[in-house]
Amino acid sequence: MSKLEENIQETAKPKLTSAQKKQRGTVIICSAALVLLALLIAAFIIMRDELAERMASEREEAEIKAVLDVDTIYSNVYVNDINVGGLTKEQALETLESQISTNLTELTVTFRYDSFGYSREFTFEELGVSYDFESSVDEAYNFGRENPDMKQRYAEVMENKDRGKYLDSEWIYDNTELEKCVQLVCDDLDKDPVNSEYLYEDGVITVTDSSPGWKVNKERTAEMAMELLPIKRSADVMIVIDQIAPEYTKEDFEFTSSTIGTYSSSYTTGDEARVTNLSVAASKLNGQTILPGETFSTNDCFAPYDEASGYKYAGAYVNGELTEDIGGGVCQVSSALYNAALLAELEITERYNHSKKVGYMDYAYDATLAGDVKDLKITNNTGYPLIIKAALENNNVVVTIEGYELHNSGRTLEFYNAKTGETDTTVTYELYKRVYENGELVDTVKVNKSTYNTN
């Protein structure tokens, strides 16, 4: 475009007056102001909404904390239908124990044995039943606290306000207490069997009747009671009883008709006190029984050695010296018993010889007694009951042992002693037993070794 054309165009544009120019400036300023105002309003609205959102969030957070940040169980949590919501763990325990534990004293188990008309009642509490309140209270307290997300926890707790959380406190059992109760039942009912035994009165031997016993089967009875406890109501237990047969009946004593060993030892009649002691000891020994496996103590049978028992002071060896002693002479009865037991081939558990040889018995055949120190003990190894008979007959101490003869009729015994040693002050003898079967020697056994003082 030429310079001329530019000038023509410039000249053709309308010229603005000052008023128009002022008006135009005002419009521009107002437009700018409106834009700014709009921007400010928009910014305010945004800030307001953010503030409202933040305040709402803070209110929600505060509400959540108000609900969750407590040291009590959340609302509407039940244990065994008891509402423990709003309680501390300690308060919940106290509430449950006071309101529910009474059930344990109201519910009972009755142990019965109708044949005896017997019954005994125990409460569940006595039987060792208890509620595991601590575990259920812990579970109630932990409800709504396990999720790490606070909002989810809050939602769970709030939802539970309508539906409720229901827990059951389990029963726990103390077997020890149950067993104690069953033992009380055993104490009431257990009865030992009664064995037949010999009675010797006025020279007559009789055999008493036997009777069975019974014993509560503790294991089975306790097991049955334990099976009833989870039902959580009162119930009866039928006691299990096992019958116990007597170990010895009259039939067992029918085998005692045989004499399996007898021995006679003579005495002089000049010493009245000594003869009295022989009579007292023989009467104590007469009628004694030894059951299978039992060990008979001669000292226990003869005791007490005192005048109240009828004993008198008579000659006896005490510490190797002949002196007057209460019961002097009873060793002749124990020696006769020893020899009868040897002939019966019983087990001699304990036996001692005198310190010096005695006039009524050869070396190694005697059996002395000395209080609690020396005794003659015989064990019944026959498997059948034994009875001892003893008496003074025609100036003889006669001791007989009756029982079941285990050996055949062709078996015979022969006893003999042999000197096996001697010093300036002592002599030693050994007693031997020869066993014959139908007249043929089949065995020789050393019975004892006895050493005596000679001065």
Side-chain angles (χ1 to χ4, degrees), residues 100-169:
I100 299 180
S101 290
T102 53
N103 293 343
L104 300 178
T105 58
E106 295 170 353
L107 298 176
T108 60
V109 170
T110 302
F111 292 83
R112 292 174 46 198
Y113 196 75
D114 293 341
S115 298
F116 294 168
Y118 174 86
S119 67
R120 183 161 183 170
E121 184 180 271
F122 298 96
T123 66
F124 275 39
E125 186 177 44
E126 290 172 323
L127 292 167
V129 179
S130 61
Y131 284 97
D132 190 8
F133 288 138
E134 291 190 3
S135 295
S136 53
V137 167
D138 285 340
E139 185 178 358
Y141 184 81
N142 291 332
F143 169 72
R145 287 182 164 86
E146 296 176 341
N147 196 320
D149 188 301
M150 294 284 288
K151 289 185 178 181
Q152 290 183 13
R153 285 178 54 197
Y154 177 74
E156 184 181 8
V157 171
M158 296 307 293
E159 183 181 358
N160 189 64
K161 283 189 174 182
D162 296 328
R163 66 183 183 186
K165 177 70 174 178
Y166 292 88
L167 305 172
D168 286 323
S169 183

Side-chain angles (χ1 to χ4, degrees), residues 46-107:
I46 293 172
M47 291 176 62
R48 183 197 63 186
D49 291 345
E50 289 179 348
L51 177 61
E53 185 179 347
R54 184 169 64 251
M55 291 178 65
S57 177
E58 289 176 353
R59 283 196 301 271
E60 182 182 16
E61 184 178 346
E63 183 179 347
I64 290 174
K65 286 186 176 180
V67 172
L68 299 182
D69 291 352
V70 293
D71 63 351
T72 58
I73 299 168
Y74 296 137
S75 61
N76 280 4
V77 178
Y78 294 80
V79 174
N80 289 29
D81 296 326
I82 301 296
N83 192 344
V84 294
L87 303 179
T88 64
K89 294 173 70 172
E90 291 75 14
Q91 291 170 337
L93 279 173
E94 292 176 2
T95 299
L96 294 173
E97 288 173 353
S98 63
Q99 296 188 36
I100 299 180
S101 290
T102 53
N103 293 343
L104 300 178
T105 58
E106 295 170 353
L107 298 176

Side-chain angles (χ1 to χ4, degrees), residues 268-306:
T268 59
T269 59
D271 190 339
E272 182 180 344
R274 187 176 187 279
V275 173
T276 297
N277 292 338
L278 293 178
S279 177
V280 171
S283 65
K284 284 177 173 285
L285 185 60
N286 190 44
Q288 292 290 328
T289 58
I290 312 176
L291 296 179
E294 284 187 343
T295 297
F296 174 80
S297 168
T298 309
N299 258 335
D300 289 346
C301 175
F302 288 177
Y305 296 100
D306 53 29

Side-chain angles (χ1 to χ4, degrees), residues 152-273:
Q152 290 183 13
R153 285 178 54 197
Y154 177 74
E156 184 181 8
V157 171
M158 296 307 293
E159 183 181 358
N160 189 64
K161 283 189 174 182
D162 296 328
R163 66 183 183 186
K165 177 70 174 178
Y166 292 88
L167 305 172
D168 286 323
S169 183
E170 295 297 325
W171 283 13
I172 53 179
Y173 311 99
D174 185 347
N175 290 344
T176 302
E177 295 304 315
L178 174 62
E179 289 171 1
K180 287 180 181 178
C181 292
V182 174
Q183 183 58 54
L184 293 175
V185 173
C186 295
D187 295 342
D188 290 342
L189 293 179
D190 285 355
K191 179 180 180 294
D192 291 331
V194 177
N195 290 319
S196 292
E197 61 181 6
Y198 281 111
L199 287 182
Y200 185 80
E201 295 179 354
D202 300 328
V204 178
I205 297 173
T206 58
V207 180
T208 62
D209 291 326
S210 63
S211 62
W214 46 82
K215 189 176 184 65
V216 173
N217 188 319
K218 292 174 61 176
E219 292 74 18
R220 182 61 187 134
T221 302
E223 181 181 319
M224 292 171 61
M226 183 63 74
E227 291 172 354
L228 292 175
L229 297 181
I231 300 175
K232 299 185 178 181
R233 64 172 180 263
S234 296
D236 291 350
V237 170
M238 304 310 295
I239 301 167
V240 180
I241 288 185
D242 299 324
Q243 193 172 75
I244 306 173
E247 190 173 2
Y248 307 110
T249 64
K250 278 188 174 181
E251 289 74 16
D252 295 316
F253 285 78
E254 290 177 356
F255 297 105
T256 60
S257 58
S258 298
T259 296
I260 60 174
T262 186
Y263 190 85
S264 177
S265 174
S266 64
Y267 62 87
T268 59
T269 59
D271 190 339
E272 182 180 344

Side-chain angles (χ1 to χ4, degrees), residues 330-442:
V330 298
C331 290
Q332 185 168 358
V333 181
S334 62
S335 295
L337 173 62
Y338 176 55
N339 283 271
L342 291 178
L343 290 167
E345 297 192 80
L346 302 178
E347 179 183 349
I348 309 301
T349 309
E350 182 177 341
R351 172 263 174 190
Y352 300 91
N353 60 275
H354 287 78
S355 57
K356 289 185 177 182
K357 183 182 179 303
V358 292
Y360 54 81
M361 201 71 66
D362 200 359
Y363 290 108
Y365 286 87
D366 60 320
T368 190
L369 304 175
D372 296 331
V373 180
K374 295 180 179 180
D375 197 358
L376 171 63
K377 292 183 178 180
I378 301 168
T379 298
N380 181 356
N381 58 344
T382 68
Y384 297 91
L386 302 173
I387 184 169
I388 303 173
K389 295 181 178 180
L392 302 187
E393 299 176 1
N394 300 321
N395 298 338
N396 285 278
V397 176
V398 181
V399 176
T400 300
I401 299 175
E402 294 182 351
Y404 181 67
E405 182 56 73
L406 298 174
H407 306 103
N408 59 59
S409 59
R411 182 184 178 92
T412 57
L413 304 177
E414 178 186 6
F415 290 88
Y416 69 95
N417 60 1
K419 183 191 291 186
T420 58
E422 186 174 8
T423 69
D424 292 341
T425 58
T426 65
V427 62
T428 300
Y429 277 81
E430 291 180 352
L431 182 65
Y432 291 89
K433 175 177 71 173
R434 290 192 180 114
V435 180
Y436 295 88
E437 296 287 351
N438 298 319
E440 181 180 350
L441 179 65
V442 296

